[in-house]
């Protein structure tokens, strides 16, 4: 396989891993990076979804103790059963609404105007959420969440179907607005990402399997590897960051990136819609 193509796959993997779990929308960044690298087309779209699995592996490793303890205690512990049930409840809306509206959203909302608007509106939502007193949070830990809390966060996650919204941004900031502490909202966002992104990756690979062949394995392997490494670094950093910082800097970054989206669209530097 062409070395240049493998380098592009590595860069795309790094972009995916660094942006998937920050409230800045990995989709917008992957579109921009893919266009600048001339890494576009139907197979590239499948690649972008598939390499999310590498990022999720990083989350599984970082949270392995909690995941292992939950699995071991699942047959006998009510707390473990409630936590696992909450993750499934939070995951369910994305499955239902994704199957119902996913194709229509991709067809009609993948425009630079929508991406830029959601980037900028999302920034103001972050600023609003961070302006509220954190000591007013009703839920301090994911173990304190109720099924209704999980369902609400799961419904908020569906907003990320709109390009530029950011799945992690919707779940973390939405969770904070729903009464979760910054730490609880971030943790639940990571746990909710595990079934959501793995499911999306598997579904995309199965649906577009006719586009792929054994010759594509090195390309996908490189993307998965670099997505995993960069996501592992990013998740560990973010967990330390939120202990003493807010998400306000990400809000200003979103505003700047929204302006970049409009600029690249207006000048024709980036093709934001096929």
């Amino acid at each position: 396989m062409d070395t240049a193509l493998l380098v592009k796959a590595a860069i795309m993997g790094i972009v995916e891993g660094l942006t998937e779990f920050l409230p800045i929308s990995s989709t917008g960044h992957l579109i921009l990076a893919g266009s600048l690298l001339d890494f576009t087309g139907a197979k590239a779209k499948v690649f972008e979804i598939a390499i999310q699995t590498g990022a999720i592996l990083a989350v599984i490793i970082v949270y392995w103790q909690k995941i292992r303890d939950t699995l071991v205690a699942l047959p006998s512990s009510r707390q473990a059963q409630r936590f696992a049930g909450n993750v499934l409840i939070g995951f369910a809306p994305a499955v239902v609404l994704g199957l119902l509206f996913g194709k229509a959203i991709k067809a009609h909302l993948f425009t630079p105007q929508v991406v830029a608007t959601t980037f900028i509106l999302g920034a103001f939502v972050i600023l609003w959420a961070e302006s509220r007193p954190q000591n007013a949070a009703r839920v301090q830990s994911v173990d304190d969440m109720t099924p209704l809390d999980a369902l609400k966060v799961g419904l908020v996650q569906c907003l990320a179907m709109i390009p530029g919204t950011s799945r992690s941004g919707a779940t973390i900031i939405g969770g904070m607005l729903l009464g979760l502490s910054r730490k609880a909202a971030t943790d639940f966002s990571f746990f909710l990402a595990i079934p959501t992104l793995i499911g999306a990756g598997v579904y995309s690979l199965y649906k577009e399997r006719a586009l792929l062949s054994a010759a594509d394995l090195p390309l996908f392997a490189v993307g998965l590897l670099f997505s995993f490494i960069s996501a592992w670094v990013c998740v560990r950093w973010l967990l330390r960051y939120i202990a003493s910082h807010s998400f306000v800097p990400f809000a200003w970054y979103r505003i700047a990136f929204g302006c970049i989206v409009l600029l690249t669209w207006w000048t024709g530097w980036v093709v934001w819609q096929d």
Side-chain angles (χ1 to χ4, degrees):
M1 181 168 283
D2 185 2
T3 302
L5 189 58
L6 294 179
V7 171
K8 291 179 181 181
I11 294 172
M12 293 293 284
I14 291 170
V15 172
E16 160 62 25
L18 291 179
T19 59
E20 182 62 54
F21 302 111
L22 299 178
I24 56 175
S25 176
S26 61
T27 301
H29 288 79
L30 287 170
I31 292 173
L32 183 62
S35 184
L36 294 175
L37 293 170
D38 193 26
F39 191 84
T40 57
K43 188 177 292 187
K45 293 183 185 301
V46 178
F47 172 87
E48 291 171 7
I49 296 174
I51 62 174
Q52 293 174 343
T53 308
I56 281 302
L57 180 58
V59 170
I60 292 173
I61 289 176
V62 170
Y63 282 94
W64 176 242
Q65 171 122 26
K66 172 69 173 175
I67 294 171
R68 184 194 63 187
D69 291 347
T70 299
L71 292 175
V72 170
L74 202 55
S76 58
S77 170
R78 289 288 298 166
Q79 179 175 300
Q81 292 166 3
R82 185 172 69 171
F83 171 72
N86 283 345
V87 172
L88 292 176
I89 289 170
F91 169 57
V95 176
V96 176
L97 296 183
L99 291 174
L100 289 176
F101 303 111
K103 186 178 293 185
I105 288 172
K106 288 180 181 179
H108 301 292
L109 296 185
F110 245 104
T111 68
Q113 299 95 325
V114 170
V115 172
T117 299
T118 53
F119 258 103
I120 294 171
L121 287 178
F124 288 111
V125 174
I126 292 175
L127 293 173
W128 174 42
E130 288 290 7
S131 69
R132 304 165 82 231
Q134 280 297 296
N135 57 10
R138 175 176 50 82
V139 178
Q140 296 297 325
S141 165
V142 290
D143 290 325
D144 300 327
M145 292 178 63
T146 66
L148 184 58
D149 291 327
L151 178 60
K152 289 178 180 178
V153 175
L155 290 170
V156 171
Q157 178 178 240
C158 295
L159 293 174
M161 294 170 64
I162 303 172
T165 301
S166 169
R167 191 209 63 83
S168 59
T171 50
I172 294 173
I173 304 305
M176 290 169 61
L177 291 173
L178 291 168
L180 277 65
S181 68
R182 187 182 292 113
K183 178 68 164 60
T186 302
D187 285 343
F188 193 68
S189 174
F190 287 151
F191 287 120
L192 197 54
I194 295 173
T196 301
L197 298 188
I198 289 178
V202 171
Y203 177 72
S204 178
L205 286 172
Y206 175 77
K207 185 179 177 183
E208 306 295 345
R209 61 192 182 279
L211 293 174
L212 308 175
S213 67
D216 296 314
L217 284 175
L219 180 75
F220 280 72
V222 168
L224 284 167
L225 175 62
F226 281 88
S227 173
F228 163 73
I229 294 171
S230 56
W232 183 78
V233 172
C234 182
V235 169
R236 287 173 60 86
W237 171 82
L238 184 61
L239 291 174
R240 291 193 301 269
Y241 175 87
I242 63 170
S244 56
H245 298 81
S246 74
F247 289 111
V248 168
F250 295 108
W252 296 115
Y253 177 84
R254 287 180 67 105
I255 292 172
F257 196 84
C259 294
I260 290 173
V261 170
L262 291 176
L263 176 64
T264 54
W265 164 67
W266 185 67
T267 58
W269 293 344
V270 172
V271 178
W272 287 91
Q273 188 177 29
D274 292 336

